[in-house]
Amino acid sequence: MKHSLIRSTIPSALAALIFAFGTANADSLSELASDYETITTKYRMVAGRSDVPSGQDGWPKDLPEDLEPYRQNLERLRDRLENLSQLGLEGEAKINAEYLTQIVDWRLQGLSFDEHRFSFVSHEGFYNVPYYTARNRRLHSEEDAQAWLAQMRDIPTYFEEQRINLERGMKTGWTNPDRVVDVAVTILSAQIERPTEEDGLLDPIKGLPDRIPQAVRDRLMADARKILTDIVRPTQKAMLDFIDGPYREAARPSIGIDSIPNGRAYYDFLLDYYTTTTLTAEEIHELGQSEVKRIRAEMDRVIASTGFEGSFQDWLHFMRTDPQFYAKSRQELLDFAAIASKRIDAALPAYFGMLPRQPFAVVPVPRDVEENYTTARYSGSDFSKGLPGRFLVNTSHLDQRPLYEIPALALHEAAPGHHTHKALTKENPDLPSYRKAGDMLVYREGWALYGERLGHEMGVYKTAYEKFGSLSTEMWRACRMVVDTGMHVLGWSYEKARACFTDNTALADINIDTELNRYIGAPAGAVAYKVGELKIVDMRRRAEAELGEAFDIRSFHDLILAQGQIPMTVLEQLVDDWIADRKPAGR
């Protein structure tokens, strides 16, 4: 049964299930999907801690005794999925059932490794959860405000549970190294030192609607300030003392995850989860080295086109230090990112038949986390609540945020990268919820990195410097494959890993160190970007070769974006079916 899953022509998962084997069994998969959503509402995928858990409905409950019922429910669901597979599903129903089974297996594997012993992984960690929650909390009534105040009062309980998890890690050898501890200390210190009136935990109260009497809003704000100063700040200070004291003393001496008990097995699990392939660490390392070599040759051609005289390192020095490449104010950097984003918007219709309704905004990374935050990031939001997506730009350290990298970052984080993908996924009524979740790093990041590459075809890069900036960001991802596997499996030192970036990219020192700390704290995730991109590029080349003039770039991109998120192996089969459906006679 051939299928392409383009939204306009493919029925919902339930309709596909009915078509596959009749009405009598029609509710089976939808019921399992609903049960899975119920089970996992408060428990996001943890593997590697690359994403911060949500605290929208109370703070996450991560202690082993809290997770045990969750594990048991997942095991029961896994057995029911196995029974369903015996019914001989076809088409989209088969894809959905097999993917749901795979996600459940990954979750159970993560629980078996007791991943919650790592409560923070560099710039991401439990200490940020209250602030991320506050940024997405909209209060509409006094009742809503009181609920938020109650949640603020419960921050000490949440932090204490995380301390217990960290202590379990200390006893079992599952600790972060000093470099990751340094980042956590920096973030907690910045949160503690932030003036009360500027603290993000007050923002939900500040956003209360004007229809609520001013006297009520003033009282609620006074209560929030008191909770912040009397409850939250002492809790943050106590956690800082713990992490910078006893936890640091127990920090693992090696940066590699293979140095912890059962560390190599854990890394192999993370590779499986993040890449959805069977590639080993050694194979990914070799693939990364080949990509470094290829991209370096393209860089040399761009440099030659400018007439620059000097060595590659001379060129990098020029790119890192010449004032023409750097904004003079935070606002100028944001403005440049906004202009680049609109330049991209103009080219999108020629390459995509389907674009999202939700717009995105270009906004700065919040100052309470900017010091150890990545250069840019996308943060989705809820269009149904009147909120745009957000292309976050780090406006700190302006002398290390080159403008020539902005177009590539906009393509990756906003359109046609993360914003386009995530917004279309949210707007697609035919996808089950687990196909809309954020589990598939290889899919979403592979697509976003492909979007950077597509920028060359779209004419987004206007100068040789911007073209080099794109190649530099691509080299950054290739080096990730090399250094992540190098540090965590092959015994590489921090200095050896750092050299891949300093020798081959124009990345500024602060970006290199921030990224390396991220890879150390969250193993394996960084390799998924390039693996996903190369898979999509290979699928496109295969489609172009087999379809010839019948190849339609807009339809191909729409096909990829219509899937939400699925493993790369499944996507490859869908693309093969798509090619077969469109292949002209005689080819």
Side-chain angles (χ1 to χ4, degrees), residues 218-239:
D218 289 345
R219 173 171 50 79
L220 292 168
M221 181 57 73
D223 290 345
R225 291 193 195 98
K226 184 172 177 58
I227 295 169
L228 180 61
T229 57
D230 293 354
I231 298 177
V232 177
R233 282 289 183 266
T235 298
Q236 292 171 324
K237 290 175 182 177
M239 183 55 70

Side-chain angles (χ1 to χ4, degrees), residues 443-519:
Y443 203 109
R444 70 177 193 258
E445 296 296 351
W447 170 259
L449 191 51
Y450 171 82
E452 291 184 35
R453 182 183 289 224
L454 188 64
H456 292 278
E457 291 179 53
M458 295 167 66
V460 171
Y461 305 115
K462 297 300 185 183
T463 68
Y465 304 124
E466 290 183 350
K467 292 175 182 176
F468 186 87
S470 170
L471 292 172
S472 182
T473 60
E474 187 178 8
M475 179 69 85
W476 164 24
R477 278 45 169 263
C479 280
R480 281 177 171 179
M481 301 174 78
V482 176
V483 304
D484 195 289
T485 51
M487 291 189 298
H488 289 297
V489 171
L490 303 179
W492 279 29
S493 67
Y494 186 89
E495 291 70 26
K496 184 174 182 179
R498 200 176 193 281
C500 188
F501 294 102
T502 56
D503 292 349
N504 296 292
T505 78
L507 286 174
D509 286 342
I510 190 172
N511 292 339
I512 294 172
D513 291 321
T514 297
E515 289 297 317
L516 283 172
N517 287 333
R518 175 185 172 194
Y519 312 153

